[in-house]
Amino acid sequence: MGNRGMEELIPLVNRLQDAFSSIGQACNLDLPQIAVVGGQSAGKSSVLENFVGRDFLPRGSGIVTRRPLVLQLISATAEWAEFLHCKGKKFTEFDEVRQEIEAETDRVTGANKGISPIPINLRVYSPHVLNLTLIDLPGITKVPVGDQPADIEQQIRDMIMQFITRESCLILAVTPANTDLANSDALKLAKDVDPQGLRTIGVITKLDLMDEGTDARDVLENKLLPLRRGYIGVVNRSQKDIDGKKDIKAALEAERKFFLSHPSYRHMAEKMGTPRLQKVLNQQLTNHIRDTLPTFRSKLQSQLLALDKEAEEYRGYRPDDPSRKTKQLLQMVQQFSVDFEKRIEGSGDQVDTVELSGGAKINRIFHERFPFELVKMECDEKEMRREISYAIKNIHGIRTGLFTPDMAFEAIVKKQIIKLKEPCVKCVDMVIQELINTVRQCSNKLECFPRLREETERIVTSHIRDRESRAKDQVLLMIDIQLSYINTNHEDFIGFANAQQRSSQANKNQSSAGNQVIRKGWLTINNISIMKGGAKEYWFVLTAESLSWFKDDEEKEKKYMLPLDNLKVRDVEKSFMSSKHIFSIFNTELRNVYKDNRTLELACDSQDDVDSWKSSLLRAGVYPEKTTTSETTSASDNFSMDPQLERKVETIRNLVDSYMAIVNKCIRDLMPKAIMHLMINNVKDFINAELLAQLYSAGDQNALMDESQEQAQRRDEVLRTHQALKEALAIIGDISTSTITVPLGIKMRMSSGQRPAPRGAPPPPNRPGPLGPFNNTADSPQAPSRPNRAPPSIPRHKQASLWKPKLKES
């Protein structure tokens, strides 16, 4: 084997396994281990019982192993067993061991044959075993038994994969000889995670049950499905032997006689059987631990370094120290204030790359959502003209007026100004909601102290709600100020003299702005039929006159250009199966918008993107659809005007447009300023100056700084994990990993297409391992006679010369 240090490697890993299990988690480290994988009735339990020499595993129909069993075999002078969950209790009767396994399994999984990934740790001391650690996993099953869930096969497969996918895990693939090896569940799972066969050890059971005239010689000689570590055959007790309480020692003797007497296996009898398998697993696990120790040590050290700072903070921690609580309260409030200001004003650290939040979200509300809400309040053109005509007629009364009355202008303008109250109040509501969301995000860092977090959110949110009423009063006051005096002497107001020229001037401005690009971005056309390829994503370019889309953002291959005349936007309800947010564009004259489609459905990833595109379309003159009742529509359609009245309506319509543009411009400018002054800046000043005082006046500040139960558990886990990692590194540091090299066995035939591995590379899969079934070349009739290993006196770097053939002298 080597030196004494190497013999201590398996007990070392056992101690590490127990240490990490005792702290309730595996420290994200993969301990070197052997996982036993096989189908139902493949003989896994019998193999393990043969190792121990005792009957100690549950038996019966269905899934017997329902939780992973970590079996630690330790060579000792006496014989007893211990469970990790029954510390200090020794089991000398192995019937009691079986009963305890069944009881502990039922405690977690219940009695309905369910499974659980939580392992049972069993340690067996015996003079008849070699140091070895295995994990017995549930047998692979196909059909649920009793009241097992319908997906029991997938559950077992997932549990097995949790263990065997780790690179540090050797796979003991148990397959009965009386089934087709190509259909072996164990080998199939092993091949999925270890396609080269470097970590897999094959075990062939039930060799005595094969049909007469058949044998598994090609498999055991590693020729049929080669594995890097080879195959070993065993013969277990039959069910009749188990029921008859046949002694395991007698069974092992019968196994030895079977291999010595069978014509197909007698030449390899010394390399077959349970004792040989136990010895091979001991040596392979030891070498595997030696090979993985450097990586394992590095993982331990990196995790220890990651916990050093946190453990140092917790080491001298006293939860009930009043001075510590006062200091921490000041630090938490100061950190909350800094985080809130950074989220509002923006900062370079901890930038959210997933979605807009804080100040960026409020900026979008000011400059995209609020203008969009203002434009949505604009009434329909026909409705506007009808109201103006009614106003003119009602002002003239019974007389027929010769001049356009300015009172009609004021009446219509005031009605339009009143409509601005709703979008202004909605803007305040959206900003308040974002401020409250920002407060909650900033308070996440206070989650260690639930009372402090709760009080902080309550105080700041209450202040925001208090400022909400004042802000809304101020906003409504701004609207009332606009209503109180209609300033027709404003420098931007066109006046009655220029009202007639408004239409021609507007058309001229529109034509000059035709090539102005308003927005670019990716959108998905959602209503393309499946026959034509289904929904596709294109690069869209919106100008003042058209909406075009291209194959990509290089804008070389234009797919379509859609003029914006007579187009409007409407919302589309999000479908149950789709994660996209959709809006559509349609023609008011009921014409096809895009090819054979009456509407063009466009999809975005978020509602914010939808609102942003709607706002851009508004700038291009594409307004949202306005729902009108049938009575209003019919009245509007039946309404007719004489030419003189129509000229008056057109004049007042242009005057209203001119004046409302002035009012909208003023409101759009003043609203962000008013909200910043009355809400956002005020809340920041409140957090900086008054939050701490409010917290002190809210009650006992010591109670505020009571930490949560999760934080106390976290602190305890960090300290215990840190100590366990230090102990593990100290244990590993005492182990010497030097040993005598065991040369590779015979060379297997290479299949076509394979090349010799370069020097220093691991052997290919079809070459048996250093401890495979053919370590001694004398066991193979095809191999020339070679020494099994170099004498210990020969230096390691010269051992390779023993493999070189001597040159014939000339």
Side-chain angles (χ1 to χ4, degrees):
M1 242 311 277
N3 60 19
R4 181 68 182 168
M6 286 300 293
E7 296 174 6
E8 293 295 326
L9 283 179
I10 294 178
L12 157 72
V13 173
N14 291 344
R15 287 161 60 195
L16 293 175
Q17 208 157 28
D18 289 347
F20 293 147
S21 296
S22 66
I23 64 175
Q25 46 95 27
C27 294
N28 297 323
L29 294 171
D30 298 334
L31 293 170
Q33 55 198 5
I34 299 177
V36 185
V37 181
Q40 286 289 326
S41 304
K44 296 190 294 95
S45 299
S46 296
V47 170
L48 298 181
E49 287 181 336
N50 287 351
F51 285 169
V52 178
R54 297 279 189 169
D55 292 325
F56 68 97
L57 291 174
R59 294 183 182 276
S61 61
I63 303 174
V64 179
T65 305
R66 294 185 283 130
R67 288 174 59 184
L69 176 67
V70 180
L71 178 62
Q72 300 174 356
L73 306 181
I74 299 172
S75 182
T77 55
E79 188 175 46
W80 77 92
E82 291 178 353
F83 287 95
L84 187 62
H85 63 271
C86 300
K87 290 184 178 178
K89 183 178 179 181
K90 291 186 178 181
F91 293 80
T92 55
E93 294 293 331
F94 281 82
D95 285 339
E96 296 180 5
V97 173
R98 182 191 305 110
Q99 295 169 6
E100 180 61 30
I101 292 175
E102 292 173 345
E104 178 63 14
T105 300
D106 290 343
R107 185 183 66 80
V108 174
T109 64
N112 65 343
K113 297 189 180 298
I115 64 171
S116 169
I118 303 173
I120 299 174
N121 288 65
L122 172 63
R123 180 174 290 177
V124 177
Y125 297 83
S126 173
H128 310 300
V129 302
L130 296 175
N131 289 341
L132 188 60
T133 301
L134 305 108
I135 300 178
D136 185 22
L137 297 172
I140 304 164
T141 185
K142 301 291 185 183
V143 181
V145 176
D147 55 353
Q148 289 174 351
D151 63 339
I152 189 70
E153 179 185 1
Q154 187 61 40
Q155 288 187 28
I156 294 175
R157 178 184 171 85
D158 293 343
M159 183 192 302
I160 293 173
M161 297 297 277
Q162 286 179 13
F163 288 88
I164 66 176
T165 50
R166 301 170 184 167
E167 288 296 324
S168 60
C169 180
L170 296 179
I171 305 168
L172 192 67
V174 181
T175 303
N178 56 354
T179 60
D180 186 0
L181 198 66
N183 296 325
S184 168
D185 293 325
L187 288 175
K188 182 179 184 304
L189 282 176
K191 189 172 181 62
D192 289 343
V193 298
D194 180 31
Q196 300 299 321
L198 302 178
R199 296 188 286 120
T200 305
I201 306 165
V203 176
I204 307 299
T205 62
K206 303 185 181 183
L207 290 166
D208 55 328
L209 301 181
M210 297 187 70
D211 293 337
E212 189 174 351
T214 62
D215 58 58
R217 177 172 176 171
D218 287 346
V219 176
L220 295 175
E221 289 181 347
N222 212 17
K223 295 178 180 177
L224 187 61
L225 291 174
L227 295 176
R228 167 68 173 80
R229 299 173 185 269
Y231 293 85
I232 295 179
V234 296
V235 176
N236 297 327
R237 294 177 297 167
S238 65
Q239 189 62 45
K240 181 180 178 181
D241 295 336
I242 295 171
D243 295 339
K245 303 292 183 183
K246 182 176 181 179
D247 185 55
I248 291 182
K249 291 182 181 178
L252 293 177
E253 184 61 30
E255 177 188 52
R256 176 172 173 77
K257 288 181 181 179
F258 171 81
F259 284 113
L260 288 173
S261 61
H262 198 288
S264 298
Y265 310 131
R266 65 165 64 107
H267 70 288
M268 62 178 88
E270 295 301 320
K271 307 301 178 183
M272 298 289 118
T274 300
R276 173 63 181 174
L277 175 60
Q278 189 175 178
K279 182 179 179 182
V280 166
L281 293 180
N282 169 272
Q283 293 172 334
Q284 296 227 14
L285 180 58
T286 301
N287 288 339
H288 186 59
I289 293 170
R290 177 201 63 198
D291 295 338
T292 56
L293 265 183
T295 305
F296 186 60
R297 184 188 291 111
S298 298
K299 288 184 177 179
L300 286 171
Q301 289 171 340
S302 62
Q303 188 147 2
L304 184 66
L305 287 173
L307 290 177
D308 269 342
K309 184 177 180 182
E310 193 174 0
E312 188 63 31
E313 293 176 358
Y314 291 150
R315 192 164 285 114
Y317 188 85
R318 290 184 297 164
D320 298 326
D321 184 5
S323 61
R324 180 201 61 79
K325 288 187 175 183
T326 302
K327 179 181 178 182
Q328 203 157 23
L329 176 60
L330 292 171
Q331 291 175 341
M332 288 291 182
V333 172
Q334 185 178 10
Q335 184 63 44
F336 178 82
S337 175
V338 170
D339 288 346
F340 184 82
E341 186 156 357
K342 281 184 176 179
R343 284 188 174 273
I344 296 298
E345 300 295 337
S347 67
D349 56 341
Q350 299 180 354
V351 176
D352 189 351
T353 58
V354 178
E355 62 179 358
L356 293 179
S357 62
K361 190 76 170 284
I362 293 173
N363 179 68
R364 170 173 277 189
I365 292 171
F366 285 160
H367 302 295
E368 291 186 8
R369 292 297 302 276
F370 179 56
F372 175 70
E373 296 295 331
L374 286 179
V375 178
K376 272 198 343 184
M377 299 310 298
E378 292 184 3
C379 63
D380 187 77
E381 182 68 23
K382 290 181 180 180
E383 183 182 356
M384 170 74 79
R385 291 182 176 276
R386 181 175 57 82
E387 290 179 356
I388 294 173
S389 67
Y390 284 161
I392 293 173
K393 287 182 176 182
N394 288 330
I395 289 172
H396 287 311
I398 198 170
R399 299 179 302 277
T400 302
L402 297 177
F403 303 101
T404 303
D406 56 353
M407 291 177 63
F409 162 73
E410 285 199 16
I412 298 299
V413 163
K414 287 183 178 181
K415 186 175 181 180
Q416 294 299 310
I417 293 175
I418 290 174
K419 290 181 179 180
L420 298 179
K421 289 185 177 182
E422 184 180 340
C424 290
V425 171
K426 188 173 181 179
C427 179
V428 174
D429 289 335
M430 288 189 290
V431 172
I432 286 172
Q433 188 57 50
E434 188 55 37
L435 283 177
I436 293 174
N437 290 340
T438 303
V439 169
R440 288 174 181 164
Q441 290 169 353
C442 294
S443 66
N444 286 337
K445 292 187 178 180
L446 309 179
E447 62 185 355
C448 301
F449 306 99
R451 287 284 306 280
L452 176 62
R453 178 179 182 175
E454 182 182 339
E455 281 298 310
T456 301
E457 286 188 5
R458 182 188 64 80
I459 291 171
V460 179
T461 303
S462 298
H463 181 75
I464 291 174
R465 291 301 181 189
D466 179 58
R467 300 301 301 180
E468 174 186 5
S469 59
R470 301 187 186 185
K472 287 183 177 179
D473 290 342
Q474 187 66 31
V475 166
L476 295 177
L477 179 62
M478 288 167 46
I479 304 298
D480 291 338
I481 291 172
Q482 294 289 343
L483 284 170
S484 63
Y485 180 66
I486 307 300
N487 181 18
T488 55
N489 286 327
H490 194 281
E491 59 184 4
D492 294 332
F493 186 59
I494 59 173
F496 278 88
N498 299 321
Q500 295 293 341
Q501 303 174 8
R502 175 73 185 272
S503 298
S504 59
Q505 187 65 33
N507 292 334
K508 195 178 296 183
N509 292 339
Q510 186 176 358
S511 62
S512 63
N515 295 325
Q516 178 188 358
V517 176
I518 297 175
R519 185 186 179 96
K520 295 182 179 182
W522 291 99
L523 285 173
T524 301
I525 299 181
N526 205 53
N527 57 334
I528 300 177
S529 65
I530 298 177
M531 298 294 292
K532 296 181 180 179
K536 290 183 180 179
E537 193 174 34
Y538 294 102
W539 179 259
F540 278 74
V541 177
L542 174 65
T543 66
E545 288 187 346
S546 65
L547 178 66
S548 306
W549 53 93
F550 300 81
K551 181 180 179 181
D552 50 42
D553 54 2
E554 294 182 1
E555 300 181 16
K556 292 181 179 178
E557 185 179 342
K558 182 182 286 189
K559 293 294 184 179
Y560 201 80
M561 186 180 77
L562 178 65
L564 300 182
D565 299 333
N566 300 320
L567 295 185
K568 284 199 173 184
V569 179
R570 70 159 64 105
D571 292 321
V572 177
E573 187 176 350
K574 181 180 175 183
S575 65
F576 176 74
M577 299 296 293
S578 173
S579 61
K580 298 274 191 178
H581 298 261
I582 307 171
F583 66 97
S584 71
I585 298 174
F586 68 97
N587 192 294
T588 56
E589 297 178 354
L590 302 180
R591 295 178 180 174
N592 290 343
V593 175
Y594 171 56
K595 295 185 178 178
D596 297 332
N597 299 305
R598 286 292 179 92
T599 63
L600 178 65
E601 290 188 3
L602 302 175
C604 304
D605 291 330
S606 68
Q607 186 61 43
D608 286 340
D609 291 337
V610 171
D611 294 337
S612 181
W613 271 101
K614 284 183 182 178
S615 178
S616 300
L617 286 166
L618 281 173
R619 290 174 56 194
V622 180
Y623 293 95
E625 179 185 26
K626 188 171 184 68
T627 56
T628 56
T629 62
S630 57
E631 295 180 2
T632 306
T633 305
S634 60
S636 174
D637 292 341
N638 296 331
F639 181 77
S640 61
M641 292 184 289
D642 60 83
Q644 184 180 3
L645 179 59
E646 190 170 350
R647 285 194 298 272
K648 294 177 182 178
V649 169
E650 182 67 25
T651 301
I652 293 182
R653 179 72 182 91
N654 292 336
L655 292 173
V656 170
D657 276 351
S658 174
Y659 194 81
M660 287 307 299
I662 297 170
V663 174
N664 281 338
K665 182 178 179 181
C666 181
I667 295 296
R668 287 175 60 177
D669 180 60
L670 288 178
M671 274 292 294
K673 295 176 180 177
I675 293 175
M676 280 297 296
H677 175 69
L678 296 170
M679 293 288 304
I680 299 172
N681 291 340
N682 184 274
V683 172
K684 286 196 297 184
D685 294 341
F686 173 81
I687 293 174
N688 287 328
E690 298 183 38
L691 177 59
L692 186 60
Q694 295 267 12
L695 286 170
Y696 270 105
S697 63
D700 183 10
Q701 63 268 25
N702 288 328
L704 287 176
M705 299 307 293
D706 288 341
E707 63 181 0
S708 64
Q709 185 178 358
E710 292 80 9
Q711 177 65 13
Q713 291 175 351
R714 166 68 181 169
R715 185 176 68 251
D716 187 46
E717 279 183 12
V718 167
L719 291 174
R720 286 191 292 118
T721 304
H722 189 265
Q723 184 63 28
L725 290 170
K726 287 177 66 176
E727 291 177 2
L729 283 170
I731 292 170
I732 294 176
D734 294 337
I735 296 295
S736 170
T737 59
S738 61
T739 186
I740 296 172
T741 301
V742 181
L744 295 175
I746 65 165
K747 298 181 180 179
M748 303 301 298
R749 295 196 195 98
M750 289 187 181
S751 61
S752 60
Q754 285 186 326
R755 297 181 180 178
R759 185 175 181 180
N766 62 344
R767 179 181 293 175
L771 298 170
F774 300 111
N775 275 338
N776 198 326
T777 53
D779 294 318
S780 173
Q782 299 173 358
S785 177
R786 288 177 180 168
N788 186 34
R789 63 175 66 185
S793 59
I794 297 178
R796 188 172 181 177
H797 68 277
K798 293 185 178 180
Q799 291 178 17
S801 63
L802 296 175
W803 291 86
K804 297 178 181 178
K806 293 182 179 179
L807 297 175
K808 188 180 293 184
E809 294 181 3
S810 58

